[in-house]
Amino acid sequence: MDPFTRRPDDPPVDPSGTRIAEIARSLAAEPDVARTLQRIVDLAVETIDGCEGAGLLIVNRGKILAGSWSDEAVHRIEQLEYEIGEGPCIDAILSDPTFETDLRDRAARWPTFVAAALAAGFESILAFRLFAAEDTLGALNLYSRARGAFDEAARAFGGVYAAHAALALAGAQIHEHDVALVNGLHDALVARDVIGQAKGILMATRHIDADAAFALLRATSQDHNIKLRVIAEDVAITGTLPDPRS
């Protein structure tokens, strides 16, 4: 059995206890943003009392996007919420940091969203804004098929869970950015090295200086519509520039 799965007869969870520490470690262990998002929604269903489905909308460069979901029914609802710009996740991102309600009571506010959620069998929803420092990262929707499903304990635990989820998501985003930066720096260093080799070959074979050799590489790159690095790699291998007629 998954160590995070709760049973109906389990005692109430203390948000400050060891269980939330286990959850925090589990969320932080995911290696990238996509798997962190999925773990957030899956673990919400497993650990938060009353939660039978979970979905995420995320904020990326100022735009709200569909992020992740626990099952296909939630996927359809979350995708609809994203497309129409209406629903508790949208409100949690833009106005109310926490939103808990029986869906039938919000039919006038979110008519299309509520109709879709009720059609899928859900009656209650609890939404939390996810933020780190002052940056809004998105919002987490928790769904239940029972009316009034989320009591005070579930709301308290959900708030602590959402805070840890936001920190895990922010950490995953920073990690991916750092990996991309390192990979970019590595590619730049490799390109600089191979261009240096190609310049050296042209300087030796054509008896020209470094500036003239680089100008030849750049002109050939433009004439062939091929990246400078690729031209340089060809020179490093063949010892000469590509045939202008090729």
Side-chain angles (χ1 to χ4, degrees), residues 59-147:
V59 176
N60 184 27
R61 297 180 181 178
K63 294 183 178 180
I64 299 174
L65 305 173
S68 195
W69 44 87
S70 59
D71 55 66
E72 190 55 36
V74 173
H75 177 200
R76 290 192 294 270
I77 300 169
E78 294 291 293
Q79 186 67 28
L80 175 67
E81 183 177 14
Y82 156 65
E83 290 173 353
I84 65 177
E86 167 197 301
C89 248
I90 301 293
D91 282 7
I93 290 171
L94 299 179
S95 56
D96 301 302
T98 304
F99 209 106
E100 189 271 329
T101 188
D102 287 344
L103 283 164
R104 295 179 187 275
D105 296 337
R106 295 294 172 176
R109 182 167 182 167
W110 312 313
T112 305
F113 174 86
V114 168
L118 292 174
F122 295 114
E123 292 282 348
S124 300
I125 195 160
L126 177 59
F128 295 98
R129 182 185 301 171
L130 302 180
F131 59 92
E134 297 180 356
D135 297 326
T136 297
L137 306 177
L140 173 65
N141 271 344
L142 308 179
Y143 295 87
S144 176
R145 291 181 171 85
R147 298 199 72 178

Side-chain angles (χ1 to χ4, degrees), residues 6-236:
R6 289 181 53 74
R7 297 180 298 275
D9 58 344
D10 283 343
V13 174
D14 177 2
S16 64
T18 57
R19 190 172 186 79
I20 199 66
E22 293 173 350
I23 289 170
R25 286 192 292 270
S26 177
L27 291 174
E30 296 303 327
D32 55 45
V33 171
R35 278 181 277 192
T36 299
L37 290 172
Q38 191 60 50
R39 187 60 174 153
I40 288 170
V41 295
D42 290 343
L43 202 53
V45 176
E46 294 171 14
T47 59
I48 299 175
D49 287 343
C51 181
E52 297 177 84
L56 267 170
L57 294 185
I58 59 174
V59 176
N60 184 27
R61 297 180 181 178
K63 294 183 178 180
I64 299 174
L65 305 173
S68 195
W69 44 87
S70 59
D71 55 66
E72 190 55 36
V74 173
H75 177 200
R76 290 192 294 270
I77 300 169
E78 294 291 293
Q79 186 67 28
L80 175 67
E81 183 177 14
Y82 156 65
E83 290 173 353
I84 65 177
E86 167 197 301
C89 248
I90 301 293
D91 282 7
I93 290 171
L94 299 179
S95 56
D96 301 302
T98 304
F99 209 106
E100 189 271 329
T101 188
D102 287 344
L103 283 164
R104 295 179 187 275
D105 296 337
R106 295 294 172 176
R109 182 167 182 167
W110 312 313
T112 305
F113 174 86
V114 168
L118 292 174
F122 295 114
E123 292 282 348
S124 300
I125 195 160
L126 177 59
F128 295 98
R129 182 185 301 171
L130 302 180
F131 59 92
E134 297 180 356
D135 297 326
T136 297
L137 306 177
L140 173 65
N141 271 344
L142 308 179
Y143 295 87
S144 176
R145 291 181 171 85
R147 298 199 72 178
F150 300 108
D151 59 16
E152 183 177 351
R155 291 193 295 271
F157 184 85
V160 177
Y161 180 90
H164 283 281
L167 292 174
L169 178 56
Q173 290 175 336
I174 291 171
H175 174 71
E176 282 200 354
H177 176 269
D178 289 345
V179 169
L181 179 61
V182 169
N183 288 339
L185 290 173
H186 176 264
D187 290 345
L189 290 172
V190 170
R192 187 178 68 178
D193 185 56
V194 75
I195 290 170
Q197 293 178 37
K199 284 169 57 178
I201 290 170
L202 293 177
M203 290 167 64
T205 58
R206 301 203 177 198
H207 307 291
I208 55 179
D209 63 19
D211 289 341
F214 182 76
L216 268 176
L217 289 169
R218 184 171 58 186
T220 305
S221 170
Q222 293 170 347
D223 291 344
H224 287 73
N225 195 27
I226 298 174
K227 290 183 178 180
L228 181 61
R229 174 178 171 174
V230 176
I231 295 294
E233 289 173 345
D234 191 56
V235 172

